Amino acid sequence: MLFRSNGTDAWTPTTAYRTNAGAKVAILAVGAPAYLAGEAVDAASAQGVAADAYVVNGFPLADDFMESIASKYRAVITIEDGLIGTCDAGLRGFAAFAAGHLGSRVALEHYGLGNPQVAPSEHFIDVWTHFGMTAEALTDRSEEHTSELQ
């Protein structure tokens, strides 16, 4: 499925990018890595694993968005091209926002930039790969979460 927006569509804070019946895992993507979420869901689906992907276009989110995520999914993976913090510093960015709203109601996992001072700087793909921000990693984690939930 190719995602296309129409210039006349009304702006929304979130977009359901990929959805599959029976999904218990959602990937919430902010910014440029959103295409990785779509690739991961497509790959998982090809292997018989249902997962969904949402693009967070901006804030504020609809009042009930995070609540609907918590009620529909048992695991949520976030990915963003921004600082998400370190174990020592705690969560930041959308990862912190998601953790604050979803708490212990779902299994949470976050992908983003931990400490950019230790990352390669040749190309953004190298940086993303350094921090595990790949479609393959998202696919693997979606599959693992799904098998853990059964």
Side-chain angles (χ1 to χ4, degrees), residues 19-26 41 44-45 47-52 73 142-143 146:
T19 58
N20 292 286
K24 294 297 177 197
V25 176
V41 168
S45 181
Q47 296 175 28
V49 175
D52 292 346
Y73 302 100
S142 296
E143 292 171 353
T146 299

Side-chain angles (χ1 to χ4, degrees), residues 30 32-33 36 78-87 89-96 110-121 123-134:
V30 178
L36 296 174
T78 68
I79 185 166
E80 62 191 288
D81 186 19
L83 294 174
I84 64 168
T86 63
C87 292
L91 289 175
R92 298 178 184 179
F94 184 71
H110 308 287
Y111 288 85
L113 309 182
N115 180 357
Q117 295 174 334
V118 298
S121 61
H123 193 276
F124 73 92
I125 294 294
D126 295 333
V127 174
W128 289 1
T129 302
H130 175 81
F131 289 107
M133 297 169 56
T134 65

